[in-house]
Amino acid sequence: MDMEPHILVVDDDREIRSLLDRFLRKHGFRVSAAADGQTMRRALDEWKIDLVVLDLMLPGEGGINLCRELREHSDLPVIMLTALGEETDRVVGLEVGADDYVAKPFSPRELLARIRAVLRRTQGDSRPRADSGQAVLRFSGWSFDPTSRQLRAPDGVVISLSAGEYDLLMAFATHPNRVLSRDQLLDLTRGRFAGPFDRSIDIQVSRLRRKLREDPKNPKLIQTVRGGGYIFATAVANDASTDT
């Protein structure tokens, strides 16, 4: 039983909590539920949670603030539940670190598929790029170890990466000094940021730039190519033969 992924559903709607509890248990998950941020924190302290399904429109502390708080100290995957048609909310959710979103009213089967996809990405069970022999990549004083999923800054500080940031950095670091269109980035990240609006890749690039301590007005590493996409404008050294 302990091997079953543990999902935390955070939603103030009792019917949604009950529905997802029954549905996800039926499909092999353990499920805990919370109606607000305080209960969510208690559940996270008490249990080893593998993924959070987080409603954006919670009373009191909203889902955006809770997701931002979570991202300050954790890479725990988060799928946001958002109101249908609220594109701005979905954009903000991705900006603060959500791994995916599902619009209400939603199909439980769609949510199940997205949960499984996010868990595959974050638990490493379908990640050939992060096998035990993957080389450490070094660029502009940074080191990036795909095996441990660890990014280390030039000053030695370890920077945490969400699943999306990891996939995007892998795409850039394995294709340096090459213009990559948004469509190519979607393909290289296996559709990681595919969504109904074109800004999804741009938002994730903005988040990764912040992790790389880029000046948002004059980024040096991930540069925008007008009409083309982005370029990772630095040499990348493959450090497979040296110790890290």
Side-chain angles (χ1 to χ4, degrees):
M1 288 293 291
D2 287 343
M3 297 303 292
E4 297 173 344
H6 194 164
I7 309 301
L8 176 60
V9 177
V10 185
D11 198 301
D12 63 311
D13 189 317
R14 181 179 299 177
E15 291 186 6
I16 288 179
R17 295 197 306 271
S18 178
L19 167 67
L20 291 181
D21 182 275
R22 294 193 306 271
F23 185 80
L24 293 175
R25 288 180 187 276
K26 178 181 176 181
H27 287 85
F29 294 92
R30 289 187 295 157
V31 182
S32 294
D36 52 39
Q38 184 176 359
T39 312
M40 181 190 84
R41 294 186 189 94
R42 286 201 300 266
L44 291 172
D45 288 339
E46 182 175 355
W47 302 100
K48 181 184 180 301
I49 301 297
D50 295 293
L51 182 144
V52 178
V53 176
L54 179 60
D55 184 24
L56 187 145
M57 298 299 293
L58 290 171
E61 295 177 283
I64 293 294
N65 289 335
L66 291 173
C67 185
R68 182 182 291 113
E69 175 187 311
L70 194 60
R71 277 293 166 265
E72 290 176 355
H73 56 80
S74 171
D75 290 327
L76 185 65
V78 175
I79 295 179
M80 301 288 291
L81 298 179
T82 71
L84 182 64
E86 293 297 326
E87 177 178 318
T88 300
D89 289 338
R90 296 198 296 270
V91 170
V92 174
L94 290 172
E95 285 181 333
V96 299
D99 292 270
D100 206 344
Y101 69 87
V102 175
K104 291 182 176 182
F106 60 88
S107 160
R109 291 191 177 277
E110 179 189 359
L111 178 59
L112 174 65
R114 290 180 181 268
I115 287 173
R116 286 173 170 167
V118 170
L119 288 175
R120 282 196 298 271
R121 291 192 296 266
T122 57
Q123 293 182 344
D125 54 349
S126 292
R127 308 183 70 90
R129 292 178 299 183
D131 61 30
S132 59
Q134 183 72 51
V136 172
L137 304 174
R138 301 187 184 278
F139 54 89
S140 300
W142 294 78
S143 65
F144 176 44
D145 185 347
T147 303
S148 65
R149 302 169 62 85
Q150 186 177 89
L151 175 66
R152 189 177 297 273
D155 59 7
V157 174
V158 175
I159 309 297
S160 64
L161 295 173
S162 69
E165 292 159 353
Y166 168 89
D167 283 347
L168 191 57
L169 183 55
M170 277 295 294
F172 281 128
T174 53
H175 299 81
N177 295 305
R178 172 180 165 185
V179 176
L180 297 173
S181 69
R182 289 167 178 80
D183 286 342
Q184 286 174 313
L185 287 169
L186 283 172
D187 182 61
L188 289 167
T189 57
R190 289 163 289 171
R192 174 66 180 77
F193 312 121
F197 50 95
D198 294 336
R199 289 189 58 202
S200 52
I201 279 286
D202 302 324
I203 292 165
Q204 299 291 347
V205 167
S206 176
R207 287 173 52 193
L208 183 56
R209 279 172 170 165
R210 288 197 294 270
K211 291 293 181 74
L212 292 170
R213 303 175 178 176
E214 294 260 63
D215 178 352
K217 295 181 179 179
N218 187 30
K220 300 296 185 182
L221 289 175
I222 305 176
Q223 298 181 7
T224 302
V225 179
R226 181 171 297 179
Y230 296 96
I231 185 171
F232 197 56
T234 184
V236 177
N238 184 315
D239 205 24
S241 61
T242 62
D243 293 332
T244 60

